[in-house]
Each structure stands twice: as C-alpha cells, then as structure tokens.
Amino acid sequence: MNKASNVELYKEATAYSPGGVHTSIRNVDPHLIFTKAEGAYMEDVEGNRFIDYQAAFGPFILGHNYPYVNNKVTETIARTDLFGVGTTDIEIELAKKICQHVPSSEQVLFCNSGSEATYHAIRLARAVTEKRKLIKFQGCYHGWHDYVARNMLSDWDKIGKRDPGSNGMLNEAVDNTLVCTFNDLQHVEETLIENNDEVAAIIVEPIPHNIGCILPEDGFLSGLKELCSKYGALLIFDEVITGFRHDIGGFQKIAGITPDLTTLGKAMANGYPMAAIAGKREYMSRFNTNPGGDVWFAGTYNGHAVGTAASLATIEMLENEPVHDHIFRLGDRMRKGIKEIHEVLGIDAFVAGFGSVWTTYFMNFRPKNYSDLQHNDGELYVRYRKKLIEKGIFKMPMNMKRNHISFSHTDREIDVTLEAMEDVLRELF
C-alpha cells in the first residue's frame, strides 16, 4: 500500500478545516504534512527529513521531543493533571524559579499562550494608570487580539498608517493603539505628547523578531523606560520570543533594563503550551487571583501540569547545562559562515542575528526598523528558502522570518546547512 503524499493529505485537510491548517501563518508553500520530530530534525509524511531552523517560531530551545523534558512531563502527569481549584506544588516551584531569574518578576501568573499574556498585561496597565491608549511599534507582533493586531507585516504603503490586521476588529481598540517607529525615541515622545496623559503603556519586543532580527540601538530601551516614567505609562517587554532563548533572565537581563511588566512563553516550555505574565508586586496584586484584586484573570487550563512540568524541566536544563553557550556559539558560527559565503560569491546582503537567532536580509545595510526592510528583496528571500527546503534545510518560506538553533543542533548540522546555502546561492546568483 502506497503512503499518502503531502499533496493528498493537504487536500484532505482542507476538506475538514479552512485552509487545512490551524494557525494562519502555517499556510505556506510547500504544503508539508509533518509526522515526526526529534532533536534538530523533523520529517514529513513522505519520509523527507529536514534540519529544522523554524523551531515552531522559537519554542524549541532544547530540540524536538527532548528526552529530559518529555520524561519530566510523563512523570508529572502520572500523578497530577488539572484541579480547577487551589494550586499545585509544581506551580509554586515554577513561579519561584521565574521570580528568581527574570529581573522584573516579583510575582508571576501562568496562562497558555503569548496572546493571552499580552492581553492581560495591557488590561492591567490600563487599570493601574487609569488610561486607555497603548503604544506599539510598526512590525512588532504581540498576539491576535484587537488591542495589538494592527501594523504588523504591513504593506509598504501602510507603514505607520491605520492598518488593522483583521476584519471584525473593534474600531475603538484599533484607534486606541498608537503606532511608533522602532529605534526612534523622538517619535515615541512626540506621540506621548500628542496624546497628552492618555497612554497607559508602551509594549515592545526588545528585539523585534517578528520581522527577523532588528536590534535595539544603544539607549533605545532605556529611553523607553525614561519616557514611561516621565509620562506616567507602564513599560511592557514582550519577551515571548526573547525570554529564555537569549538568557534565562530574558533579554532584559542582558540589556540591564527592568520593565514594569513582562510577558513570557515559547522557549519557556520547549514546545509545550505555556505562557506567563510577570511584573512588580504592586501591579500584579491588582489581579483578582489576589483577594480584593480588581483586574480579572482567569483560564481553565492555566498552570496545567503538562506546561508547568515542561517549563520546570526546560529551566532546569538552562540552569544546569551549557545551553546558551552552545547555541550562541553555533549562532556565531552560522552567521560567520554565511558572511564568508557572501564574500566569496560577491553577494551584497546583511546577516542579522543575536545569540541562536539569525536571518539574511537581501539588502546592503543594517536595518533599524520596519521601514528599512522595504529594501530587502522579499521575492529572493522566499525563493532562497524554498530551494533550501528542497535540500533538506527547513527555514520558514516567508519573508522576514527568523531562524533558530537549538541545543540539539551540532557543528555537523551547521556544516551541512552552510554547504547547502552555498549551493543554493551559487544557483540563484
């Protein structure tokens, strides 16, 4: 009996689910049906094996199906699962670890996705400040809800203009979210002045990884903190991507900037569903999980044993093994190798990255914000990635998407990847 093909199964998927996928951004060409993943590799239904740098948009800091994490989850759910009342010993243990490692975390609450975490952070900021408006940055992604789902991957003619991400969004939510330019403190202060005493919070990816890897310039993040203090707003670091992947204390620990609130997720649980909001005790105590709190916080699956155990196991690995040393070294090696290939082939491109994350922009200067990425050759960016998939190297075949290295990747995978990259670039150029 012949195995089903990717094409056949994708067609079947579309019969039962709109578009055949369960998150919009997953619907890309080629349509692959994955059946297996282990370490640095994943496999499709046809038996094609890929070195994975997509990492499900970043959760897999240790690698797919990492034995230590899976074993801890299995051990935990053999004795506990979900109660819907009170708390558990492992929730207490995990909360203690996050407060120990993340500078802004005096208290923490668990939820299930980054979108939930940012939703709660914004609601809390509005309650604390008694203001309604929010500042986000063009190109940054903070989840699917109406508060922040605007001006993400905008068409170039909509940069900084009103660009809701979906039909059905409330106009009031869209218009109370203000859009600024990343790395431009002057623009942020002008916006705060124009909206005199109405801005509750500034929410920012400390490194905008939604658009690849745009690093904050010296003084930008500290400048945001100063502006928040000056104009009575809270500073929210959305570290759903950067938290744990760049440091066990998040990018805030590296930058030496402590925000008022922080959202966490992805690498926190190495692929299991888990997220958190953390922050100053005086603010977190406003949630109604605390008797007398006036800010609603709820979720049936919050603190479920699966995600909690996975998070504990992942953090234990980060505490006890040279995870960051390994992935940072391989990240440096990857970026250096790509640059050398570009030099040999005479390709004018910019290799961006930090730690275990990188991407190649096909443009001849370092981008500072989303507007600069108009100069990236998006068509070439996607074509390059599709050709790499044909060679067994999986990077998301979408424009401006980052790549990730895990603890399961080795020098061998980097060697194979660099060789494939050189072959593809020789073909394209």
Side-chain angles (χ1 to χ4, degrees):
M1 183 176 174
N2 293 330
K3 278 187 176 180
S5 69
N6 285 306
V7 172
E8 291 167 338
L9 282 180
Y10 177 69
K11 184 177 180 181
E12 184 177 7
T14 61
Y16 298 103
S17 301
V21 297
H22 297 272
T23 291
S24 61
I25 205 165
R26 295 178 189 171
N27 204 331
V28 296
D29 178 31
H31 300 291
L32 301 179
I33 310 299
F34 294 102
T35 58
K36 182 180 178 181
E38 183 178 7
Y41 292 85
M42 55 188 189
E43 191 173 304
D44 72 11
V45 71
E46 296 176 8
N48 300 307
R49 198 162 181 249
F50 306 90
I51 301 175
D52 179 29
Y53 293 107
Q54 162 63 3
F57 286 100
F60 291 102
I61 189 170
L62 302 176
H64 289 282
N65 273 308
Y66 200 78
Y68 184 77
V69 178
N70 284 0
N71 290 340
K72 286 291 187 180
V73 170
T74 302
E75 290 171 12
T76 301
I77 62 174
R79 71 169 178 87
T80 185
D81 51 14
L82 180 69
F83 302 97
V85 63
T87 190
T88 61
D89 54 341
I90 57 174
E91 287 172 85
I92 297 169
E93 187 179 352
L94 178 59
K96 185 187 294 186
K97 280 193 177 292
I98 290 175
C99 290
Q100 173 189 341
H101 290 297
V102 179
S104 65
S105 182
E106 294 179 3
Q107 289 192 317
V108 60
L109 285 171
F110 302 132
C111 50
N112 302 285
S113 71
S115 292
E116 290 179 52
T118 58
Y119 184 95
H120 288 304
I122 292 164
R123 174 187 277 174
L124 177 58
R126 286 180 169 143
V128 168
T129 63
E130 298 183 345
K131 302 173 185 180
R132 70 181 190 276
K133 293 187 178 181
L134 172 73
I135 287 177
K136 74 175 291 283
F137 293 89
Q138 177 70 60
C140 287
Y141 177 76
H142 304 290
W144 40 253
H145 50 87
D146 286 12
Y147 291 167
V148 288
R150 64 166 295 181
N151 293 79
M152 297 168 292
L153 299 177
S154 299
D155 292 338
W156 305 125
D157 62 348
K158 290 187 176 180
I159 291 175
K161 298 178 182 177
R162 194 178 192 278
D163 185 24
S166 174
N167 197 0
M169 291 174 65
L170 289 174
N171 287 330
E172 293 84 352
V174 175
D175 293 333
N176 277 296
T177 299
L178 312 170
V179 180
C180 288
T181 303
F182 191 77
N183 276 328
D184 188 343
L185 287 173
Q186 182 179 340
H187 188 201
V188 176
E189 183 157 26
E190 287 171 354
T191 302
L192 287 163
I193 292 169
E194 288 169 6
N195 295 270
N196 183 35
D197 204 29
E198 293 183 297
V199 175
I202 296 174
I203 186 169
V204 63
E205 291 182 83
I207 299 177
H209 281 315
N210 181 53
I211 50 178
C213 189
I214 305 289
L215 294 177
E217 294 186 320
D218 289 345
F220 178 68
L221 296 178
S222 60
L224 291 182
K225 185 170 183 178
E226 290 169 6
L227 288 174
C228 283
S229 296
K230 181 177 179 180
Y231 292 95
L234 298 193
L235 179 60
I236 304 170
F237 270 14
D238 181 353
E239 295 225 47
V240 168
I241 300 170
T242 57
F244 301 102
R245 174 161 288 280
H246 293 333
D247 189 281
I248 196 169
F251 190 75
Q252 61 191 258
K253 185 176 179 183
I254 295 171
I257 308 297
T258 303
D260 297 296
L261 300 172
T262 299
T263 57
L264 301 162
K266 294 193 187 294
M268 175 178 176
N270 197 59
Y272 286 90
M274 190 67 172
I277 171 176
K280 294 180 178 178
R281 185 182 302 270
E282 65 178 294
Y283 302 146
M284 295 295 291
S285 65
R286 292 285 296 271
F287 281 120
N288 70 347
T289 52
N290 184 43
D294 60 349
V295 179
W296 187 264
F297 190 93
T300 297
Y301 296 102
N302 291 355
H304 192 286
V306 168
T308 305
S311 295
L312 275 170
T314 302
I315 291 172
E316 286 168 5
M317 283 293 299
L318 300 182
E319 289 174 328
N320 300 319
E321 299 295 334
V323 174
H324 287 106
D325 288 345
H326 179 79
I327 61 178
F328 273 47
R329 181 183 67 82
L330 291 185
D332 287 341
R333 186 159 178 255
M334 179 70 83
R335 288 184 289 271
K336 182 174 182 290
I338 297 170
K339 290 174 185 175
E340 289 173 351
I341 292 169
H342 292 171
E343 289 172 6
V344 168
L345 300 181
I347 297 171
D348 213 2
F350 183 80
V351 182
F354 183 88
S356 61
V357 172
W358 92 94
T359 195
T360 298
Y361 296 119
F362 290 100
M363 54 191 286
N364 61 5
F365 66 97
R366 180 191 193 118
K368 295 181 180 179
N369 51 52
Y370 185 79
S371 295
D372 286 347
L373 295 178
Q374 295 177 73
H375 298 278
N376 175 51
D377 188 335
E379 187 275 332
L380 175 60
Y381 192 104
V382 175
R383 189 152 50 98
Y384 171 52
R385 289 175 169 232
K386 286 184 177 180
K387 286 189 174 293
L388 283 172
I389 291 173
E390 294 172 7
K391 291 184 174 291
I393 310 298
F394 195 90
K395 303 196 294 182
M396 189 69 168
M398 288 183 65
N399 190 22
M400 297 185 288
K401 291 304 167 190
R402 66 197 179 275
N403 312 298
H404 315 80
I405 292 170
S406 78
F407 194 48
S408 294
H409 287 80
T410 68
D411 285 288
R412 179 183 177 278
E413 280 76 42
I414 305 303
D415 289 339
V416 170
T417 302
L418 289 171
E419 183 178 347
M421 286 176 171
E422 183 168 2
D423 289 344
V424 169
L425 289 170
R426 285 186 183 275
E427 180 182 343
L428 292 173
F429 286 88

